[in-house]
């Protein structure tokens, strides 16, 4: 809880380039606070949005960066509470909060001198897209919501953070730890929404949740915390979600393919480059919407956003107008460009087997007659090791895979017992063409050597830095064979 919020004029962000931190910095800037921040020199997908917002981060970490700030907000990375700037702030009596705590405080609105209605989007997969869909619908309806979404550019919204004048605050509700070393509280539990979406529940982040039961516990608390006059929107097809529904005291609304849902997705198909979804409402009215994103999973994400729109009183026409303008987000099945020989290049953040499969299925839906080549970079040793067989099964949906070595997390110790080579060997055992790339340079050479033509779609995939080679892939000429 922040005290003397009226005295806070300047905010410093430690690790400002992170996709959870940058939108908060933009919100603070738009709200009239003086904003500073620092991070490593490496390029991030948020660099452009920070620059466009007039925010120029310091490079590196130094206690002098906080000399003139009234509040420090820190990421869980770069040492978290052990970062030298955070330690210095505590010594000086400067308030410190985490990114997760800041989202909760921003949603509550005390820092801005007003109360707000929170809309939180939780779930193992689909948070970014669904949050962006909800915010787009509200923006299109002239409601000027605030939003904090874990990416950078979003064509229908501009950037991933905005301080609106309306009463709604839309936020991703992350299940990861508030501070990985000192506070394992799930970040989503620090939010106080009136409306919540839970898209799905699976075992992810094994470093945070050793078992699936630990994941259930966090989500049970999340839905239990919703107010009695609130609304919980969930995918009724998800067997894991069904295990937590009894714990909420709020209104429950379900969506999905199964007949026992309140909103039923009847059909999903591509027509002239758009996905047309057909669904039935609780009143047995059949509606059709066109979406600028492919994949049945995005049809379900859209249905969740439609329900939220109706819950806050928007008409179906207003909702349809908003969704029509939604064209996706950065690093979510994002079209990058065309390779020299005609292949199309996409990029996606998918780093869990379910996300990988859904993304590849969406590409197959959009390009049913093309070959799909996946350039995959696993993220974290623990996730790769725990879900190895599932990764192999999901990547089998591609026609060909190049797996670069695991992108390590600073929160983990190197585990030499697991490697991307295990994924490649597993795919080969299924008679799927697969190649091991020791680094990103090898991935570029692999694509260049293959000379993929206009019968192929290539996608870079993963939560690490594999997206950073997109321009090299687009511009690289034929290379000699990779040994």
């Amino acid at each position: 809880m922040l005290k003397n919020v009226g005295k806070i004029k300047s905010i410093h962000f430690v690790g400002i380039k992170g996709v959870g931190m940058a939108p908060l910095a933009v919100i603070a800037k738009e709200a009239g606070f003086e904003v500073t921040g620092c991070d490593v020199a490496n390029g991030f997908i948020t660099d452009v949005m920070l620059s466009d917002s007039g925010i120029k981060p310091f490079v590196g970490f130094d206690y002098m960066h906080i000399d003139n700030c009234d509040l420090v907000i820190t990421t869980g990375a770069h040492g978290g509470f052990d970062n030298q700037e955070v330690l210095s702030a505590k010594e000086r009596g400067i308030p410190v909060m985490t990114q997760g705590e800041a989202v909760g405080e921003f949603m509550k609105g005390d820092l801005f001198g007003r109360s707000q209605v929170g809309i939180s989007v939780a779930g193992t997969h689909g948070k970014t897209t669904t949050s962006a869909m909800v915010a787009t619908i509200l923006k299109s309806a002239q409601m000027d919501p605030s939003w904090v979404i874990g990416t950078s550019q979003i064509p229908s919204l501009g950037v991933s953070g905005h301080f609106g004048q309306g009463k709604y605050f839309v936020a991703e509700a992350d299940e990861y730890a508030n501070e990985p070393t000192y506070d394992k509280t799930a970040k989503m539990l620090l939010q106080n929404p009136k409306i919540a979406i839970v898209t799905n529940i699976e075992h992810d982040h094994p470093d945070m949740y050793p078992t699936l039961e630990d994941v259930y516990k966090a989500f049970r608390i999340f839905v239990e915390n919703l107010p009695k006059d609130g609304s919980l929107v969930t995918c009724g097809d998800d067997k894991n979600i069904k295990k937590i529904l009894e714990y909420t005291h709020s209104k429950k609304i379900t969506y999905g393919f199964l007949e026992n849902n309140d909103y039923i997705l009847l059909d999903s198909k591509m027509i002239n480059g758009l996905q047309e979804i057909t669904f039935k409402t609780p009143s047995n009215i059949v509606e059709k919407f066109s979406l600028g994103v492919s994949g049945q999973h995005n049809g379900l994400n859209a249905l969740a956003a439609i329900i939220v729109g109706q819950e806050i009183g928007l008409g179906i026409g207003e909702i349809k107008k908003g969704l029509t303008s939604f064209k996706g987000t950065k690093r979510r099945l994002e079209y990058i460009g065309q390779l020299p020989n005609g292949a199309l290049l996409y990029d996606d953040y998918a780093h869990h087997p379910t996300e990988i499969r859904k993304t590849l299925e969406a590409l197959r839906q959009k390009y049913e007659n093309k070959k799909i080549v996946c350039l995959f970079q696993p993220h974290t040793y623990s996730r790769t090791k725990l879900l190895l067989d599932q990764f192999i099964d999901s990547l089998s949906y591609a026609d060909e895979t190049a797996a670069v070595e695991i992108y390590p997390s600073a929160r983990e110790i190197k585990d030499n017992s697991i490697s991307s080579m295990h994924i490649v060997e597993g795919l080969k055992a299924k008679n799927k063409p697969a190649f091991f790339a020791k680094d990103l340079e090898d991935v570029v050479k692999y694509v260049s050597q293959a000379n993929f033509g206009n019968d192929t779609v290539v996608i870079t995939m993963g939560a690490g830095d594999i997206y950073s080679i997109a321009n090299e892939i687009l511009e690289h000429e034929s290379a000699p064979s990779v040994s």
Side-chain angles (χ1 to χ4, degrees):
M1 295 288 292
L2 278 176
K3 298 178 180 179
N4 302 319
V5 292
K7 294 184 178 180
I8 295 175
K9 306 299 181 185
S10 60
I11 305 176
H12 180 75
F13 293 81
V14 180
I16 194 171
K17 292 184 180 182
V19 292
M21 294 286 279
L24 287 175
V26 172
I27 290 172
K29 182 84 170 180
E30 291 182 354
F33 292 93
E34 181 182 340
V35 171
T36 58
C38 60
D39 214 311
V40 294
N42 308 48
F44 280 68
I45 64 171
T46 57
D47 287 344
V48 173
M49 66 178 273
L50 288 171
S51 177
D52 289 349
S53 299
I55 301 170
K56 185 177 181 180
F58 298 115
V59 176
F61 305 96
D62 191 305
Y63 66 90
M64 291 187 294
H65 292 161
I66 65 169
D67 281 349
N68 299 307
C69 74
D70 304 313
L71 170 66
V72 170
I73 297 175
T74 184
T75 175
H78 307 304
F81 285 158
D82 287 328
N83 182 282
Q84 64 170 290
E85 296 187 12
V86 175
L87 293 173
S88 180
K90 289 181 177 180
E91 289 175 0
R92 302 187 206 184
I94 300 171
V96 173
M97 63 171 55
T98 63
Q99 183 271 345
E101 291 167 338
V103 174
E105 286 291 335
F106 281 28
M107 176 180 285
K108 190 165 60 174
D110 290 350
L111 196 61
F112 310 125
R114 71 187 197 200
S115 61
Q116 298 174 129
V117 177
I119 301 175
S120 295
V121 182
T124 309
H125 324 296
K127 294 186 291 292
T128 297
T129 297
T130 308
S131 300
M133 285 177 168
V134 172
T136 298
I137 289 169
L138 300 188
K139 178 187 176 186
S140 174
Q142 306 299 313
M143 303 186 79
D144 195 17
S146 299
W147 62 77
V148 53
I149 301 170
T151 183
S152 54
Q153 283 80 13
I154 303 170
S156 59
L157 296 174
V159 293
S160 58
H162 173 61
F163 178 69
Q165 298 304 308
K167 68 177 181 178
Y168 292 103
F169 190 103
V170 182
E172 286 191 38
D174 190 358
E175 72 272 23
Y176 196 68
N178 180 42
E179 208 282 355
T181 302
Y182 297 101
D183 184 2
K184 300 287 188 181
T185 303
K187 288 193 278 187
M188 63 185 176
L189 302 183
L190 303 172
Q191 298 181 20
N192 57 328
K194 184 173 183 180
I195 300 173
I197 296 173
V198 179
T199 57
N200 40 61
I201 298 175
E202 285 199 273
H203 195 187
D204 196 9
H205 305 301
D207 57 324
M208 167 73 173
Y209 300 105
T211 69
L212 186 56
E213 182 57 40
D214 296 314
V215 183
Y216 291 149
K217 182 178 179 181
F219 279 95
R220 283 199 297 264
I221 297 171
F222 178 70
V223 302
E224 191 174 19
N225 287 345
L226 289 169
K228 289 183 179 180
D229 62 344
S231 298
L232 174 62
V233 180
T234 65
C235 181
D237 296 351
D238 190 297
K239 65 181 187 300
N240 293 329
I241 287 179
K242 293 176 182 177
K243 297 179 181 179
I244 67 167
L245 287 181
E246 64 181 279
Y247 293 90
T248 188
H249 307 290
S250 64
K251 176 182 178 181
K252 296 186 282 265
I253 310 163
T254 60
Y255 64 91
F257 290 101
L258 300 179
E259 286 290 331
N260 60 342
N261 286 299
D262 298 310
Y263 287 75
I264 303 168
L265 189 57
L266 301 172
D267 194 20
S268 164
K269 56 188 176 185
M270 296 300 294
I271 300 177
N272 297 324
L274 298 175
Q275 179 180 191
E276 183 180 271
I277 62 169
T278 305
F279 63 92
K280 186 166 63 174
T281 71
S283 303
N284 288 320
I285 297 172
V286 176
E287 299 282 357
K288 287 188 178 182
F289 275 58
S290 290
L291 307 175
V293 288
S294 58
Q296 289 185 341
H297 65 296
N298 278 325
L300 290 174
N301 292 337
L303 199 46
I306 290 166
I307 295 169
V308 169
Q310 293 206 305
E311 280 297 289
I312 64 176
L314 293 178
I316 204 75
E318 292 176 295
I319 298 170
K320 186 174 291 188
K321 179 183 176 184
L323 269 183
T324 300
S325 69
F326 181 76
K327 306 300 180 186
T329 74
K330 186 77 173 173
R331 297 224 64 213
R332 268 63 177 186
L333 204 53
E334 177 191 7
Y335 175 67
I336 304 299
Q338 193 167 27
L339 275 64
N341 289 335
L344 304 178
L345 179 64
Y346 279 79
D347 176 59
D348 196 272
Y349 186 73
H351 56 282
H352 183 281
T354 298
E355 296 167 344
I356 293 166
R357 177 171 56 83
K358 294 294 186 182
T359 299
L360 294 174
E361 286 177 343
L363 273 181
R364 188 77 68 191
Q365 181 190 45
K366 190 175 181 68
Y367 301 106
E368 58 183 358
N369 296 317
K370 290 183 182 289
K371 173 183 177 180
I372 296 175
V373 177
C374 183
L375 313 177
F376 179 59
Q377 182 187 50
H379 183 251
T380 77
Y381 301 111
S382 57
R383 182 187 290 116
T384 309
K385 191 171 186 176
L386 177 71
L387 305 176
L388 177 61
D389 290 342
Q390 295 177 46
F391 277 116
I392 294 167
D393 288 342
S394 293
L395 288 165
S396 296
Y397 282 77
D399 296 298
E400 188 174 322
T401 300
V404 71
E405 193 49 278
I406 297 168
Y407 186 87
S409 168
R411 60 182 183 255
E412 285 190 323
I413 299 173
K414 182 174 175 57
D415 184 349
N416 291 317
S417 69
I418 187 68
S419 165
S420 292
M421 182 61 80
H422 292 97
I423 293 175
V424 171
E425 291 171 349
L427 287 168
K428 287 181 176 179
K430 289 177 172 286
N431 296 315
K432 301 292 293 189
F435 169 76
F436 173 72
K438 68 179 186 295
D439 53 34
L440 294 180
E441 183 179 349
D442 265 2
V443 177
V444 176
K445 290 179 181 178
Y446 165 81
V447 176
S448 178
Q449 177 199 346
N451 293 319
F452 295 118
N454 56 16
D455 62 342
T456 303
V457 177
V458 178
I459 181 167
T460 53
M461 186 179 289
D465 60 356
I466 193 162
Y467 71 90
S468 65
I469 61 174
N471 287 335
E472 292 181 68
I473 291 175
L474 289 175
E475 298 168 3
H476 211 284
E477 297 179 359
S478 297
S481 296
V482 180
S483 59

